[in-house]
Coordinates of all heavy atoms in Angstrom, one line a residue:
M8 N 57.2 -34.9 56.3 CA 55.8 -34.9 56.3 C 55.3 -33.5 56.8 O 55.8 -33.0 57.8 CB 55.2 -36.0 57.3 CG 53.7 -36.0 57.3 SD 53.0 -37.0 58.5 CE 53.9 -38.5 58.6
E9 N 54.4 -32.9 56.0 CA 53.9 -31.6 56.4 C 52.7 -31.7 57.2 O 51.7 -32.4 56.9 CB 53.6 -30.8 55.1 CG 53.3 -29.4 55.3 CD 53.1 -28.7 54.0 OE1 53.8 -29.0 53.0 OE2 52.2 -27.8 53.9
H10 N 52.6 -30.9 58.3 CA 51.4 -30.9 59.2 C 50.8 -29.5 59.1 O 51.4 -28.5 59.6 CB 51.8 -31.2 60.6 CG 52.4 -32.6 60.8 ND1 51.6 -33.7 60.7 CD2 53.6 -33.0 61.0 CE1 52.3 -34.8 60.9 NE2 53.6 -34.4 61.1
N11 N 49.6 -29.4 58.6 CA 48.9 -28.2 58.6 C 48.0 -28.1 59.8 O 47.3 -29.1 60.1 CB 48.1 -28.0 57.3 CG 49.0 -27.7 56.1 OD1 50.0 -27.1 56.2 ND2 48.6 -28.3 55.0
L12 N 48.0 -27.0 60.5 CA 47.1 -26.9 61.7 C 45.8 -26.2 61.4 O 45.8 -25.2 60.5 CB 47.9 -26.2 62.8 CG 49.1 -26.9 63.3 CD1 49.9 -26.0 64.3 CD2 48.8 -28.2 63.9
L13 N 44.8 -26.6 62.0 CA 43.4 -26.0 61.8 C 43.1 -25.3 63.1 O 43.0 -25.9 64.1 CB 42.4 -27.1 61.5 CG 41.0 -26.7 61.4 CD1 40.8 -25.7 60.2 CD2 40.1 -27.9 61.2
N14 N 42.8 -24.0 63.0 CA 42.5 -23.1 64.1 C 41.0 -23.4 64.5 O 40.1 -23.2 63.7 CB 42.7 -21.7 63.8 CG 42.4 -20.7 64.9 OD1 41.8 -21.1 65.9 ND2 42.8 -19.5 64.8
I15 N 40.8 -23.9 65.7 CA 39.4 -24.2 66.2 C 39.0 -23.2 67.2 O 38.0 -23.4 67.9 CB 39.3 -25.6 66.7 CG1 40.3 -25.9 67.9 CG2 39.5 -26.6 65.6 CD1 40.0 -27.1 68.7
G16 N 39.7 -22.1 67.4 CA 39.3 -21.0 68.2 C 40.2 -20.9 69.5 O 40.7 -21.8 70.0
F17 N 40.4 -19.6 69.9 CA 41.1 -19.3 71.2 C 42.5 -19.8 71.2 O 43.0 -20.2 72.2 CB 40.3 -19.7 72.4 CG 38.9 -19.2 72.4 CD1 37.8 -20.0 72.2 CD2 38.7 -17.9 72.7 CE1 36.6 -19.5 72.2 CE2 37.4 -17.4 72.8 CZ 36.3 -18.2 72.5
G18 N 43.1 -19.8 70.0 CA 44.5 -20.3 69.9 C 44.7 -21.8 69.9 O 45.8 -22.2 70.0
N19 N 43.6 -22.5 69.9 CA 43.7 -24.0 69.9 C 43.7 -24.5 68.4 O 43.1 -23.9 67.6 CB 42.5 -24.6 70.6 CG 42.5 -24.2 72.0 OD1 43.4 -24.4 72.8 ND2 41.4 -23.5 72.4
M20 N 44.5 -25.5 68.2 CA 44.7 -26.1 66.9 C 44.6 -27.6 66.9 O 44.9 -28.2 67.9 CB 46.1 -25.7 66.3 CG 46.5 -24.3 66.4 SD 45.8 -23.3 65.2 CE 46.5 -21.7 65.5
V21 N 44.2 -28.1 65.7 CA 44.2 -29.6 65.5 C 44.9 -29.8 64.2 O 44.9 -28.9 63.3 CB 42.8 -30.2 65.5 CG1 42.1 -30.1 66.8 CG2 41.9 -29.6 64.4
V22 N 45.5 -30.9 64.0 CA 46.2 -31.3 62.8 C 45.1 -31.5 61.7 O 44.3 -32.5 61.9 CB 47.1 -32.5 63.0 CG1 47.8 -32.8 61.6 CG2 48.2 -32.2 64.0
S23 N 45.1 -30.8 60.7 CA 44.0 -30.9 59.7 C 43.9 -32.2 59.0 O 42.9 -32.7 58.6 CB 44.1 -29.7 58.7 OG 45.3 -29.8 57.9
G24 N 45.1 -32.9 58.9 CA 45.1 -34.2 58.2 C 44.5 -35.3 59.1 O 44.2 -36.4 58.5
R25 N 44.2 -35.0 60.3 CA 43.6 -36.0 61.2 C 42.1 -35.8 61.4 O 41.4 -36.7 62.0 CB 44.2 -35.9 62.6 CG 45.7 -36.1 62.7 CD 46.3 -37.4 62.4 NE 45.8 -38.5 63.2 CZ 46.4 -39.1 64.2 NH1 47.5 -38.6 64.6 NH2 45.8 -40.1 64.8
V26 N 41.5 -34.7 60.8 CA 40.1 -34.4 61.0 C 39.3 -35.3 60.1 O 39.5 -35.4 58.9 CB 39.9 -33.0 60.6 CG1 38.4 -32.7 60.6 CG2 40.6 -32.1 61.6
V27 N 38.3 -36.0 60.7 CA 37.4 -36.8 59.9 C 36.1 -36.1 59.7 O 35.5 -36.2 58.6 CB 37.1 -38.1 60.7 CG1 36.0 -39.0 60.1 CG2 38.3 -38.9 60.9
A28 N 35.6 -35.3 60.7 CA 34.3 -34.6 60.5 C 34.3 -33.4 61.4 O 34.9 -33.4 62.5 CB 33.2 -35.5 60.9
I29 N 33.5 -32.4 61.0 CA 33.3 -31.2 61.7 C 31.8 -31.1 61.8 O 31.1 -30.9 60.7 CB 33.9 -29.9 61.1 CG1 35.4 -30.1 60.9 CG2 33.6 -28.7 61.9 CD1 36.1 -29.1 60.0
V30 N 31.1 -31.2 62.9 CA 29.7 -31.3 63.0 C 29.1 -30.3 64.1 O 29.8 -29.9 65.0 CB 29.2 -32.7 63.3 CG1 29.6 -33.7 62.2 CG2 29.8 -33.2 64.6
A31 N 27.8 -30.1 63.9 CA 27.1 -29.3 64.9 C 26.8 -30.2 66.1 O 26.5 -31.4 65.9 CB 25.9 -28.7 64.3
P32 N 26.8 -29.7 67.3 CA 26.6 -30.5 68.5 C 25.1 -30.7 68.9 O 24.8 -31.4 69.9 CB 27.3 -29.7 69.6 CG 27.1 -28.3 69.2 CD 27.1 -28.3 67.7
S33 N 24.2 -30.2 68.1 CA 22.8 -30.2 68.6 C 22.0 -31.5 68.5 O 21.0 -31.7 69.2 CB 22.0 -29.1 67.8 OG 22.2 -29.4 66.4
S34 N 22.4 -32.4 67.7 CA 21.6 -33.7 67.6 C 21.9 -34.7 68.7 O 23.0 -34.6 69.3 CB 22.0 -34.3 66.2 OG 23.3 -34.9 66.2
A35 N 21.0 -35.5 68.9 CA 21.1 -36.5 70.0 C 22.3 -37.5 69.8 O 23.0 -37.8 70.7 CB 19.8 -37.3 70.1
P36 N 22.6 -37.9 68.5 CA 23.8 -38.8 68.3 C 25.1 -38.1 68.7 O 26.0 -38.7 69.2 CB 23.7 -39.1 66.8 CG 22.3 -39.0 66.5 CD 21.7 -37.9 67.3
M37 N 25.2 -36.8 68.4 CA 26.4 -36.0 68.7 C 26.5 -35.9 70.2 O 27.6 -35.9 70.8 CB 26.4 -34.7 68.0 CG 26.6 -34.7 66.5 SD 28.0 -35.6 66.0 CE 27.3 -37.1 65.4
K38 N 25.4 -35.7 70.9 CA 25.5 -35.6 72.4 C 25.9 -36.9 73.0 O 26.7 -37.0 73.9 CB 24.1 -35.2 72.9 CG 23.8 -33.8 72.6 CD 22.4 -33.4 73.1 CE 22.1 -32.0 72.6 NZ 20.7 -31.5 73.0
R39 N 25.4 -38.1 72.4 CA 25.9 -39.4 72.9 C 27.4 -39.6 72.6 O 28.1 -40.1 73.4 CB 25.1 -40.5 72.2 CG 23.7 -40.7 72.9 CD 23.1 -42.0 72.4 NE 22.9 -42.1 71.0 CZ 21.8 -41.6 70.3 NH1 20.9 -41.0 71.0 NH2 21.7 -41.8 69.0
L40 N 27.8 -39.1 71.4 CA 29.2 -39.3 71.0 C 30.1 -38.5 72.0 O 31.1 -39.0 72.5 CB 29.4 -38.7 69.6 CG 30.9 -38.7 69.1 CD1 31.3 -40.1 68.7 CD2 31.0 -37.8 67.9
K41 N 29.7 -37.3 72.4 CA 30.4 -36.5 73.3 C 30.5 -37.2 74.7 O 31.5 -37.2 75.3 CB 29.7 -35.1 73.4 CG 30.4 -34.1 74.4 CD 29.8 -32.8 74.3 CE 28.5 -32.7 75.1 NZ 28.0 -31.4 75.3
D42 N 29.3 -37.7 75.1 CA 29.3 -38.4 76.4 C 30.2 -39.6 76.4 O 30.9 -39.9 77.4 CB 27.9 -38.7 76.8 CG 27.0 -37.5 77.1 OD1 27.6 -36.4 77.4 OD2 25.8 -37.6 77.0
D43 N 30.1 -40.4 75.3 CA 31.0 -41.6 75.2 C 32.4 -41.3 75.2 O 33.3 -41.9 75.8 CB 30.6 -42.4 73.9 CG 29.2 -43.0 74.0 OD1 28.7 -43.1 75.1 OD2 28.8 -43.5 72.9
A44 N 32.8 -40.2 74.5 CA 34.2 -39.7 74.5 C 34.7 -39.3 75.9 O 35.8 -39.6 76.3 CB 34.4 -38.6 73.5
R45 N 33.8 -38.6 76.6 CA 34.1 -38.2 78.0 C 34.4 -39.4 78.8 O 35.4 -39.4 79.6 CB 33.0 -37.3 78.5 CG 33.3 -36.8 80.0 CD 32.3 -35.9 80.5 NE 32.4 -34.6 79.9 CZ 31.5 -33.9 79.2 NH1 30.3 -34.5 79.0 NH2 31.8 -32.7 78.7
E46 N 33.5 -40.4 78.8 CA 33.7 -41.6 79.6 C 35.0 -42.4 79.2 O 35.6 -42.9 80.0 CB 32.5 -42.5 79.4 CG 31.2 -41.9 80.1 CD 30.0 -42.8 79.8 OE1 30.1 -43.9 79.3 OE2 28.9 -42.3 80.1
G47 N 35.3 -42.3 77.9 CA 36.5 -43.1 77.4 C 37.8 -42.3 77.5 O 38.8 -42.8 77.1
G48 N 37.7 -41.0 78.0 CA 38.9 -40.2 78.1 C 39.4 -39.7 76.8 O 40.6 -39.4 76.6
R49 N 38.6 -39.6 75.8 CA 38.9 -39.1 74.5 C 38.4 -37.7 74.1 O 38.4 -37.3 73.0 CB 38.4 -40.1 73.4 CG 39.1 -41.5 73.5 CD 38.4 -42.5 72.5 NE 37.1 -42.9 72.9 CZ 36.0 -42.5 72.4 NH1 35.9 -41.7 71.4 NH2 34.8 -42.9 72.9
L50 N 37.8 -37.0 75.1 CA 37.2 -35.7 74.9 C 38.2 -34.6 75.2 O 38.9 -34.6 76.3 CB 36.0 -35.6 75.8 CG 35.2 -34.3 75.6 CD1 34.5 -34.3 74.3 CD2 34.2 -34.1 76.7
V51 N 38.3 -33.7 74.3 CA 39.2 -32.5 74.5 C 38.3 -31.3 74.4 O 37.6 -31.0 73.4 CB 40.3 -32.4 73.4 CG1 41.1 -31.1 73.6 CG2 41.1 -33.6 73.4
D52 N 38.1 -30.6 75.5 CA 37.3 -29.4 75.6 C 38.1 -28.1 75.3 O 38.9 -27.7 76.1 CB 36.6 -29.3 76.9 CG 35.6 -28.2 77.0 OD1 35.5 -27.4 76.1 OD2 34.8 -28.2 78.0
A53 N 37.9 -27.6 74.1 CA 38.7 -26.4 73.7 C 37.8 -25.2 73.7 O 38.0 -24.2 72.9 CB 39.4 -26.6 72.4
T54 N 36.7 -25.2 74.5 CA 35.7 -24.1 74.4 C 36.1 -22.9 75.4 O 35.4 -21.9 75.2 CB 34.3 -24.6 74.8 OG1 34.4 -25.1 76.2 CG2 33.9 -25.7 73.9
H55 N 37.0 -23.1 76.3 CA 37.4 -22.1 77.3 C 36.1 -21.6 78.0 O 36.0 -20.4 78.3 CB 38.0 -20.8 76.6 CG 39.4 -21.1 76.2 ND1 40.5 -20.6 76.8 CD2 39.9 -21.9 75.2 CE1 41.6 -21.0 76.2 NE2 41.3 -21.8 75.2
G56 N 35.3 -22.6 78.4 CA 34.1 -22.3 79.2 C 32.9 -21.7 78.5 O 31.9 -21.4 79.0
R57 N 33.0 -21.6 77.2 CA 31.9 -21.0 76.4 C 31.0 -22.2 75.9 O 31.4 -23.4 76.0 CB 32.5 -20.2 75.2 CG 33.1 -18.9 75.7 CD 33.9 -18.2 74.6 NE 34.4 -17.0 75.0 CZ 35.5 -16.8 75.7 NH1 36.2 -17.8 76.1 NH2 35.9 -15.6 76.0
R58 N 29.9 -21.8 75.2 CA 29.0 -22.8 74.7 C 29.7 -23.6 73.5 O 30.3 -23.0 72.7 CB 27.8 -22.1 74.2 CG 26.7 -23.0 73.7 CD 25.4 -22.2 73.4 NE 24.9 -22.7 72.2 CZ 24.4 -22.0 71.2 NH1 24.3 -20.7 71.3 NH2 24.0 -22.5 70.1
T59 N 29.4 -24.9 73.5 CA 30.0 -25.7 72.4 C 29.1 -25.4 71.1 O 27.9 -25.6 71.1 CB 29.9 -27.2 72.8 OG1 30.7 -27.4 73.9 CG2 30.4 -28.1 71.6
R60 N 29.8 -25.0 70.1 CA 29.1 -24.7 68.8 C 29.5 -25.7 67.7 O 28.9 -25.7 66.7 CB 29.4 -23.3 68.4 CG 28.8 -22.3 69.4 CD 28.7 -21.0 68.9 NE 28.0 -20.2 69.9 CZ 27.8 -18.9 69.7 NH1 28.1 -18.3 68.6 NH2 27.1 -18.2 70.6
S61 N 30.6 -26.5 67.9 CA 31.0 -27.5 66.9 C 31.8 -28.6 67.6 O 32.3 -28.4 68.7 CB 31.8 -26.9 65.8 OG 33.0 -26.4 66.3
I62 N 31.7 -29.7 67.0 CA 32.5 -30.9 67.4 C 33.4 -31.3 66.3 O 32.9 -31.5 65.2 CB 31.5 -32.0 67.8 CG1 30.7 -31.6 69.0 CG2 32.3 -33.3 68.2 CD1 29.6 -32.6 69.4
V63 N 34.7 -31.5 66.6 CA 35.6 -32.0 65.6 C 36.0 -33.4 66.0 O 36.4 -33.7 67.1 CB 36.9 -31.1 65.6 CG1 37.9 -31.6 64.6 CG2 36.5 -29.6 65.3
I64 N 35.8 -34.3 65.0 CA 36.1 -35.7 65.2 C 37.4 -36.1 64.5 O 37.5 -35.7 63.3 CB 34.9 -36.6 64.8 CG1 33.7 -36.2 65.5 CG2 35.2 -38.1 65.0 CD1 32.4 -36.7 64.9
T65 N 38.3 -36.7 65.1 CA 39.6 -37.1 64.5 C 39.6 -38.6 64.2 O 38.8 -39.4 64.7 CB 40.8 -36.7 65.4 OG1 40.7 -37.6 66.6 CG2 40.7 -35.3 65.8
D66 N 40.6 -38.9 63.4 CA 40.8 -40.3 63.0 C 41.2 -41.2 64.1 O 41.1 -42.4 64.0 CB 41.7 -40.5 61.8 CG 43.1 -40.0 62.1 OD1 43.4 -39.4 63.1 OD2 44.0 -40.1 61.2
S67 N 41.7 -40.6 65.2 CA 42.1 -41.4 66.4 C 40.9 -41.6 67.3 O 41.1 -42.0 68.5 CB 43.2 -40.7 67.1 OG 42.8 -39.4 67.6
N68 N 39.7 -41.2 66.9 CA 38.5 -41.3 67.6 C 38.4 -40.3 68.8 O 37.6 -40.5 69.7 CB 38.2 -42.7 68.1 CG 36.7 -43.0 68.2 OD1 35.9 -42.3 67.5 ND2 36.4 -44.0 68.9
H69 N 39.2 -39.3 68.8 CA 39.2 -38.2 69.8 C 38.1 -37.2 69.3 O 37.8 -37.0 68.1 CB 40.5 -37.5 69.9 CG 41.5 -38.2 70.7 ND1 42.2 -39.2 70.2 CD2 41.8 -38.1 72.0 CE1 43.0 -39.7 71.2 NE2 42.8 -39.1 72.3
V70 N 37.4 -36.6 70.3 CA 36.3 -35.7 70.1 C 36.8 -34.3 70.7 O 37.1 -34.3 71.9 CB 35.0 -36.2 70.7 CG1 33.9 -35.1 70.5 CG2 34.6 -37.5 70.1
V71 N 36.8 -33.3 69.8 CA 37.3 -32.0 70.3 C 36.1 -31.0 70.2 O 35.5 -30.9 69.2 CB 38.4 -31.5 69.4 CG1 39.0 -30.1 69.9 CG2 39.6 -32.5 69.3
L72 N 35.8 -30.4 71.3 CA 34.7 -29.4 71.4 C 35.3 -28.0 71.1 O 36.4 -27.7 71.7 CB 34.1 -29.4 72.8 CG 33.6 -30.8 73.3 CD1 33.0 -30.6 74.7 CD2 32.6 -31.4 72.3
S73 N 34.6 -27.2 70.3 CA 35.0 -25.9 70.0 C 33.8 -24.9 70.2 O 32.7 -25.3 70.0 CB 35.5 -25.8 68.6 OG 35.8 -24.5 68.2
A74 N 34.1 -23.7 70.5 CA 33.1 -22.6 70.7 C 32.9 -21.9 69.4 O 32.2 -20.9 69.3 CB 33.5 -21.7 71.8
V75 N 33.6 -22.3 68.3 CA 33.5 -21.7 67.0 C 32.5 -22.5 66.2 O 32.5 -23.7 66.2 CB 34.9 -21.6 66.3 CG1 34.7 -21.1 64.9 CG2 35.8 -20.8 67.1
Q76 N 31.7 -21.8 65.4 CA 30.7 -22.5 64.5 C 31.3 -23.5 63.6 O 32.4 -23.3 63.1 CB 29.9 -21.4 63.7 CG 29.0 -20.5 64.5 CD 27.7 -21.2 64.9 OE1 27.4 -22.3 64.4 NE2 27.0 -20.6 65.8
A77 N 30.6 -24.6 63.3 CA 31.1 -25.6 62.5 C 31.4 -25.1 61.1 O 32.4 -25.4 60.4 CB 30.1 -26.8 62.4
E78 N 30.5 -24.2 60.6 CA 30.7 -23.6 59.2 C 32.0 -22.8 59.1 O 32.7 -22.9 58.1 CB 29.5 -22.7 58.9 CG 28.2 -23.4 58.7 CD 27.5 -23.7 60.0 OE1 27.9 -23.1 61.1 OE2 26.6 -24.5 60.0
T79 N 32.3 -22.1 60.2 CA 33.5 -21.3 60.3 C 34.8 -22.2 60.2 O 35.7 -21.9 59.5 CB 33.6 -20.4 61.5 OG1 32.4 -19.6 61.5 CG2 34.8 -19.5 61.5
I80 N 34.8 -23.2 61.0 CA 35.9 -24.2 61.0 C 36.0 -24.9 59.7 O 37.1 -25.0 59.2 CB 35.7 -25.2 62.2 CG1 35.8 -24.5 63.5 CG2 36.8 -26.3 62.1 CD1 35.6 -25.4 64.7
A81 N 34.9 -25.2 59.1 CA 34.9 -25.9 57.8 C 35.5 -24.9 56.7 O 36.3 -25.4 55.8 CB 33.5 -26.3 57.4
Q82 N 35.2 -23.7 56.8 CA 35.8 -22.7 55.8 C 37.3 -22.6 56.0 O 38.0 -22.5 55.1 CB 35.1 -21.3 56.0 CG 33.7 -21.2 55.5 CD 33.1 -19.9 55.8 OE1 33.6 -19.1 56.6 NE2 31.9 -19.7 55.1
R83 N 37.7 -22.6 57.3 CA 39.2 -22.5 57.6 C 39.8 -23.8 57.1 O 40.9 -23.8 56.5 CB 39.4 -22.4 59.1 CG 39.0 -21.1 59.6 CD 39.1 -21.1 61.1 NE 38.6 -19.8 61.7 CZ 38.5 -19.6 63.0 NH1 38.8 -20.5 63.9 NH2 38.0 -18.4 63.4
F84 N 39.2 -24.9 57.2 CA 39.7 -26.2 56.8 C 39.9 -26.2 55.2 O 40.9 -26.6 54.7 CB 38.7 -27.3 57.2 CG 39.2 -28.7 56.9 CD1 40.1 -29.3 57.7 CD2 38.6 -29.4 55.8 CE1 40.5 -30.6 57.4 CE2 39.0 -30.7 55.5 CZ 40.0 -31.3 56.3
M85 N 38.8 -25.7 54.5 CA 38.9 -25.7 53.1 C 39.9 -24.7 52.6 O 40.5 -24.9 51.6 CB 37.5 -25.4 52.5 CG 36.5 -26.6 52.7 SD 37.1 -28.2 52.2 CE 37.3 -27.9 50.5
S86 N 40.0 -23.6 53.2 CA 41.0 -22.6 52.8 C 42.4 -23.1 53.0 O 43.3 -22.7 52.2 CB 40.8 -21.2 53.5 OG 41.2 -21.4 54.9
G87 N 42.6 -24.0 53.9 CA 43.9 -24.6 54.1 C 44.3 -25.5 52.9 O 45.4 -25.5 52.4
F88 N 43.2 -26.2 52.4 CA 43.5 -27.0 51.2 C 43.7 -26.1 50.0 O 44.5 -26.5 49.1 CB 42.3 -28.0 51.0 CG 42.3 -29.2 51.9 CD1 41.5 -29.3 53.0 CD2 43.3 -30.2 51.6 CE1 41.6 -30.4 53.8 CE2 43.3 -31.3 52.4 CZ 42.5 -31.4 53.5
D89 N 43.0 -25.0 49.9 CA 43.2 -24.1 48.8 C 44.6 -23.6 48.8 O 45.3 -23.5 47.7 CB 42.2 -22.9 48.8 CG 40.8 -23.3 48.6 OD1 40.6 -24.5 48.0 OD2 39.9 -22.6 48.9
L90 N 45.1 -23.2 49.9 CA 46.5 -22.8 50.0 C 47.5 -23.8 49.6 O 48.5 -23.5 48.9 CB 46.8 -22.3 51.5 CG 46.1 -21.1 52.0 CD1 46.4 -20.8 53.4 CD2 46.4 -19.8 51.1
K91 N 47.3 -25.1 50.0 CA 48.2 -26.2 49.6 C 48.1 -26.4 48.1 O 49.1 -26.6 47.4 CB 47.8 -27.5 50.3 CG 48.3 -27.5 51.7 CD 47.9 -28.7 52.5 CE 47.7 -30.0 51.8 NZ 47.4 -31.1 52.7
D92 N 46.9 -26.3 47.5 CA 46.8 -26.5 46.0 C 47.5 -25.3 45.3 O 48.2 -25.6 44.3 CB 45.3 -26.5 45.6 CG 44.6 -27.7 46.1 OD1 45.3 -28.7 46.4 OD2 43.3 -27.7 46.2
D93 N 47.4 -24.1 45.8 CA 48.0 -23.0 45.2 C 49.6 -23.1 45.3 O 50.3 -22.8 44.3 CB 47.6 -21.6 45.8 CG 46.2 -21.3 45.5 OD1 45.6 -21.9 44.5 OD2 45.6 -20.4 46.2
K94 N 50.0 -23.6 46.4 CA 51.5 -23.8 46.6 C 52.0 -24.9 45.6 O 53.1 -24.7 45.0 CB 51.7 -24.3 48.0 CG 53.2 -24.3 48.4 CD 53.3 -24.6 49.9 CE 54.7 -24.6 50.3 NZ 54.9 -24.9 51.7
K95 N 51.2 -26.0 45.4 CA 51.7 -27.0 44.5 C 51.7 -26.5 43.0 O 52.6 -26.8 42.3 CB 50.7 -28.2 44.5 CG 50.9 -29.0 45.8 CD 49.9 -30.2 45.8 CE 50.0 -31.0 47.1 NZ 49.1 -32.1 47.1
K96 N 50.8 -25.6 42.7 CA 50.7 -25.1 41.3 C 51.9 -24.2 41.0 O 52.4 -24.1 39.9 CB 49.4 -24.3 41.1 CG 48.2 -25.2 41.0 CD 46.9 -24.4 40.9 CE 45.7 -25.3 41.0 NZ 44.5 -24.5 41.0
S97 N 52.4 -23.4 42.1 CA 53.5 -22.5 41.9 C 54.8 -23.2 41.9 O 55.8 -22.6 41.5 CB 53.4 -21.4 43.0 OG 53.7 -22.0 44.2
D98 N 54.9 -24.5 42.4 CA 56.2 -25.2 42.4 C 56.6 -25.7 41.1 O 56.0 -25.9 40.1 CB 56.1 -26.4 43.4 CG 56.1 -25.9 44.8 OD1 56.4 -24.7 45.1 OD2 55.6 -26.7 45.7

């Protein structure tokens, strides 16, 4: 089984196959999601003390905070799929 890692900033990675959503943290539902995850012990803060600019939600219901913009992480996520598609075409 191949595990591709998604860079979420400052050397932190998540397994891209486990990502369900990459969202901006500004809405009230996302703030509640973050608070619920903190209370449930499912919050991973990967911001290194910086402002949270995106929230990555995994299929295990973990919530990962990142200081990198959601659009930037989404581009990295999609480029990982492009690389896999190119690799399959060359095989």
Side-chain angles (χ1 to χ4, degrees):
M8 180 188 321
E9 186 176 325
H10 296 288
N11 290 323
L12 298 176
L13 174 63
N14 183 347
I15 59 168
F17 304 106
N19 298 299
M20 310 281 182
V21 295
V22 177
S23 62
R25 305 290 305 260
V26 173
V27 173
I29 304 167
V30 295
S33 55
S34 70
M37 290 304 109
K38 290 177 183 177
R39 280 193 302 274
L40 178 75
K41 181 174 75 170
D42 293 340
D43 291 347
R45 180 175 283 123
E46 290 173 10
R49 297 175 284 106
L50 183 72
V51 178
D52 187 349
T54 62
H55 285 252
R57 291 169 175 81
R58 185 174 136 219
T59 299
R60 296 195 174 181
S61 64
I62 298 175
V63 179
I64 303 167
T65 66
D66 61 353
S67 62
N68 211 20
H69 282 81
V70 176
V71 183
L72 306 180
S73 174
V75 177
Q76 291 284 345
E78 294 83 11
T79 303
I80 295 175
Q82 287 175 347
R83 293 174 183 174
F84 184 78
M85 293 308 297
S86 69
F88 280 105
D89 291 343
L90 292 174
K91 282 179 28 180
D92 291 341
D93 290 344
K94 190 175 181 181
K95 286 181 184 176
K96 289 177 186 173
S97 67
D98 288 342

